[in-house]
Amino acid sequence: MMRLLDEARKLSIFTAYNANVDAIVYLNSEIIQRLIDEFGAEAVKRRMEEYPREINEPLDFVARLVHALKTGKPMAVPLVNEELQAWFDSHFKYDVERMGGQAGIIANLLANLDFRKVIVYTPHLAKKQAEMFVNKPNLFYPVVEDGKLVLKHPREAYREDDPIKVNRIFEFRAGTAFKLGDEMITVPYSGRFIVSARFESIRIYTEPELKPFLPEIGLGVDGAILSGYQGIKPRYSDGKDANYYFREAKKDIMLLKREKDVKVHLEFASIQNRELRKKVIYNLFPLVDSVGMDESEIAYVLNALGYSKLAERIFTYNRIEDTVMGGKILIDEMNLEVLQIHTIYYLMYITHADNPLSEEELRQSLELGTTLAAARASLGDIRSPEDFKVGLNVPYNERGEYVKLRFEEAKRRLRTREYKVVIIPTRLVSNPVSTVGLGDTISTGAFTSYLALLRRKGAL
Ligand SMILES: Nc1ncnc2c1ncn2[C@@H]1O[C@H](COP(=O)(O)OP(=O)(O)O)[C@@H](O)[C@H]1O
Ligand SMILES: O=P(O)(O)OC[C@H]1O[C@](O)(CO)[C@@H](O)[C@@H]1O
Ligand SMILES: [Mg+2]
C-alpha cells in the first residue's frame, strides 16, 4: 500500500474550481432540540413533507436538516437568500473554520502528501481563502503575467477584492437522539449536512485570460480533478445562465486535453435542482474519464436519468445489488472509463471489461482511498505522507464480511461479464474528528492510485 502511495506521489495533478470556508458546527441533542422547539415540531414536519430544495428561510433549513438526521444521509442544500447568513451566525457558534470545497480540500491533501506538483485553480481567491491553502512548495496557483503562464503559491496570488464563500457544515453523529413531537429519532449514521452558499457573486468558470493556457496546464500534469459544477445557478442577473457556464465548462475540459489526453476525474456533489443535475450529467460526464460520487448522489443521478424506482431503492436500502445495477447503467450510458462510488460501508469501482487494470489492481486502488479517508477521519487532517499509516490501523467496518458476501451474490445474479466490478469494505473510524471532505479524500486516493497503476502498466 505504501509503495502504491509512493508511486502516486510522483504524479502532478491539476484541480479546480471550488474552494470555500467550511464553518463547522458539531451537532448534539440539545442544539437539535432547541431548533425544533423554536419552530414547533408540527411546522417542521409539515415543511419536511414539502421537502424544500433551497433554503429561503430558517424553517427550510431546519426541515432539511432533520430529514438528513433521520435518514443519516450526507446531504447538501443551497442557501440562496443572502440575508439568512446573519440568522445562521446568530444561532450557531462555529466550532472550527477550515478549507472546504472539493478543489481546496484536494489541493491541500495532495500538497501535504508531497505529490510532485499540485496546481489548484479557483476563479475567486480572497486573502482569507488563500491563507487556508497549506504552505507547501509543491502547491501552485496559475496566473497570467506579461502574456505568460506563471505558477505561484496561492498565498502569493490572492486578489484583495475577491468575494469569499462560507458554507455552513453540520456534523452529526450516529446515536444522537432527539424528539420530533411524539416521535423519538436516533441518528442512524454519522455524516454531514451542508448549507451551500449559492450567491450571485460566486461563479464557476475559468477567467478568460487564463483560458488559453489550459492546454499548457494539461500538458504539464498527469491528471486533473474537477468539481464545483454543483455551484452553477440556473441564471444570473447579468443575463448569463447555466447553459452558458456549462458550455464554457465543456470547453475547459477539451482545452485541458488538447495537447495530451490527460485523464480527468469529475467529483460529483449533491445537486438539488433536477434540471441542473441533468446538465452536469449530460454535458460533462461524456467528456471526462472518471467520476466519483456517494450513495445519495448515485440515487439522485439515476433519478435524473429516469430510473426513479432504482434510485428510490438505493436511497432507502443502499443495497449492493442495486448500486451495481445503477453503476452499470451509468458507465454504459455515459461511456465512462471508470466510475467510483463511496458509501458508508463499501467502495465500488465499475469499469468496462477491457480496462487495463486487473480486478486485484482496482481493489488496491480503492484500498488506498479508504485508508487515506480513515487517516483523515482519525486525525482531522493529513499533514504528511507519514499520516497515511494511521489509516492502516483502522479496522474494516463491522459489516465488512457481509458486504463481500452480498457482493458475490449480486455478481452471480447480475450479468457483469461486460464489466469489471470490484468492491471493498470501508475502514470506518468510530469517532471521526469530522466527516466533511472524506469523500473527496477517497476519490483523490482512488483516482491518483488508479493513474499510478496505469503508469506501472505503461498505459499512462
Ligand atoms: N467515520 C468514518 N471513517 C472513515 N470513512 C468515513 C467515515 N464516515 C464517512 N466515511 C467515508 O466518507 C464518505 C463520505 O463521502 P461524501 O458523502 O462524498 O462526503 P464529502 O462530499 O463531504 O467528502 C462515505 O461514503 C464513507 O466512505
Ligand atoms: O457545493 P459547494 O458549495 O461548492 O460546496 C462543496 C462542499 O463539499 C465539500 O467540498 C465536501 O465534499 C465541502 O467542503 C464543501 O462545503
Ligand atoms: Mg462528496
Side-chain angles (χ1 to χ4, degrees):
M1 202 47 41
M2 261 331 241
R3 182 179 149 218
L4 183 54
L5 178 63
D6 287 341
E7 287 177 48
R9 287 168 50 206
K10 299 203 174 88
L11 301 171
S12 297
I13 304 287
F14 172 65
T15 183
Y17 296 81
N18 60 336
N20 65 270
V21 176
D22 276 349
I24 304 182
V25 177
Y26 291 99
L27 290 172
N28 55 33
S29 306
E30 292 81 67
I31 302 179
I32 303 165
Q33 203 65 63
R34 209 181 336 115
L35 275 175
I36 294 175
D37 295 345
E38 181 176 340
F39 292 89
E42 281 316 306
V44 174
K45 279 197 218 164
R46 247 178 319 198
R47 193 59 61 93
M48 279 169 78
E49 258 159 48
E50 290 167 22
Y51 201 71
R53 299 273 177 178
E54 293 181 340
I55 297 170
N56 268 301
E57 53 175 6
L59 187 54
D60 296 333
F61 158 71
V62 180
R64 287 300 304 265
L65 174 69
V66 173
H67 180 271
L69 294 172
K70 201 172 161 178
T71 56
K73 296 280 174 190
M75 300 278 237
V77 183
L79 171 67
V80 290
N81 179 352
E82 231 169 321
E83 285 161 22
L84 275 196
Q85 301 209 90
W87 181 85
F88 278 101
D89 296 347
S90 65
H91 265 69
F92 300 102
K93 197 185 135 288
Y94 305 110
D95 295 293
V96 240
E97 277 193 349
R98 59 189 297 189
M99 172 67 88
Q102 279 78 11
I105 289 173
I106 290 166
N108 276 352
L109 174 64
L110 292 172
N112 277 338
L113 286 172
D114 290 342
F115 270 61
R116 184 182 299 263
K117 186 168 75 186
V118 183
I119 306 177
V120 59
Y121 175 69
T122 61
H124 313 289
L125 189 64
K127 184 162 190 226
K128 177 170 177 175
Q129 193 67 65
E131 279 165 1
M132 287 190 156
F133 283 98
V134 294
N135 206 353
K136 283 287 201 151
N138 56 345
L139 180 58
F140 301 98
Y141 185 93
V143 284
V144 180
E145 276 177 4
D146 302 326
K148 282 206 203 68
L149 179 68
V150 184
L151 296 178
K152 293 187 170 179
H153 190 275
R155 294 188 187 184
E156 256 97 68
Y158 71 86
R159 289 160 303 235
E160 210 65 71
D161 298 327
D162 273 12
I164 188 136
K165 165 173 152 120
V166 180
N167 281 356
R168 277 96 183 159
I169 315 288
F170 296 85
E171 287 274 351
F172 49 86
R173 292 295 166 264
T176 303
F178 60 92
K179 269 179 82 176
L180 181 63
D182 303 332
E183 196 184 344
M184 194 67 200
I185 295 178
T186 305
V187 178
Y189 311 105
S190 301
R192 86 294 185 272
F193 178 79
I194 302 179
V195 177
S196 312
R198 291 275 180 273
F199 308 136
E200 274 274 325
S201 57
I202 305 289
R203 312 270 174 125
I204 297 293
Y205 72 115
T206 302
E207 292 149 289
E209 60 166 354
L210 181 66
K211 214 160 169 111
F213 294 94
L214 287 176
E216 190 178 331
I217 291 176
L219 191 61
V221 294
D222 303 297
I225 306 180
L226 304 180
S227 192
Y229 305 108
Q230 68 275 12
I232 295 176
K233 290 161 72 79
R235 56 190 53 80
Y236 299 83
S237 59
D238 60 5
K240 296 212 169 67
D241 63 3
N243 284 334
Y244 167 82
Y245 284 102
F246 281 109
R247 276 198 307 274
E248 292 302 318
K250 288 202 279 194
K251 284 187 209 158
D252 283 5
I253 298 172
M254 290 186 290
L255 286 168
L256 278 171
K257 285 176 171 280
R258 199 177 72 191
E259 299 298 317
K260 169 173 101 185
D261 188 14
V262 61
K263 298 266 186 220
V264 175
H265 171 89
L266 187 156
E267 185 60 15
F268 195 76
S270 168
I271 304 173
Q272 293 293 315
N273 180 315
R274 194 162 179 267
E275 296 311 310
L276 288 177
R277 201 184 314 142
K278 277 165 88 168
K279 285 187 199 292
V280 173
I281 300 167
Y282 287 110
N283 282 280
L284 305 179
F285 281 19
L287 291 183
V288 302
D289 306 280
S290 163
V291 171
M293 61 182 73
D294 71 24
E295 69 262 48
S296 310
E297 289 152 5
I298 178 128
Y300 276 129
V301 166
L302 290 166
N303 178 291
L305 293 178
Y307 300 90
S308 53
K309 287 222 178 79
L310 179 60
E312 192 57 43
R313 281 212 304 278
I314 293 179
F315 200 81
T316 321
Y317 307 111
N318 189 18
R319 275 201 305 250
I320 288 177
E321 188 179 326
D322 294 327
T323 316
V324 173
M325 193 188 284
K328 279 169 53 175
I329 291 172
L330 207 58
I331 198 127
D332 246 358
E333 294 199 2
M334 298 296 143
N335 201 0
L336 298 168
E337 177 173 321
V338 45
L339 171 67
Q340 178 260 115
I341 297 165
H342 38 276
T343 80
I344 194 90
Y345 294 121
Y346 60 89
L347 309 185
M348 178 188 297
Y349 262 143
I350 305 193
T351 73
H352 297 278
D354 60 1
N355 189 284
L357 299 192
S358 67
E359 293 196 351
E360 179 48 33
E361 287 166 325
L362 290 168
R363 267 193 294 273
Q364 280 175 28
S365 165
L366 292 178
E367 282 292 346
L368 199 137
T370 193
T371 307
L372 209 53
R376 179 173 159 114
S378 308
L379 299 169
D381 230 336
I382 293 176
R383 293 203 169 77
S384 74
E386 281 299 297
D387 285 350
F388 176 76
K389 292 189 184 138
V390 175
L392 291 168
N393 295 325
V394 175
Y396 295 99
N397 72 73
E398 79 282 1
R399 297 205 199 168
E401 288 308 310
Y402 174 78
V403 161
K404 289 185 200 157
L405 217 70
R406 293 308 299 256
F407 176 56
E408 289 311 319
E409 266 174 43
K411 262 183 107 166
R412 276 197 296 275
R413 244 197 319 268
L414 300 165
R415 278 170 43 105
T416 52
R417 247 181 310 138
E418 293 146 50
Y419 311 89
K420 286 180 184 163
V421 190
V422 301
I423 282 198
I424 64 149
T426 51
R427 295 181 186 267
L428 213 54
V429 176
S430 45
N431 257 319
V433 176
S434 60
T435 69
V436 63
L438 290 180
D440 306 339
T441 305
I442 291 169
S443 294
T444 304
F447 178 63
T448 57
S449 58
Y450 177 82
L451 296 182
L453 287 163
L454 285 181
R455 173 152 294 176
R456 214 189 253 179
K457 297 216 137 153
L460 182 81

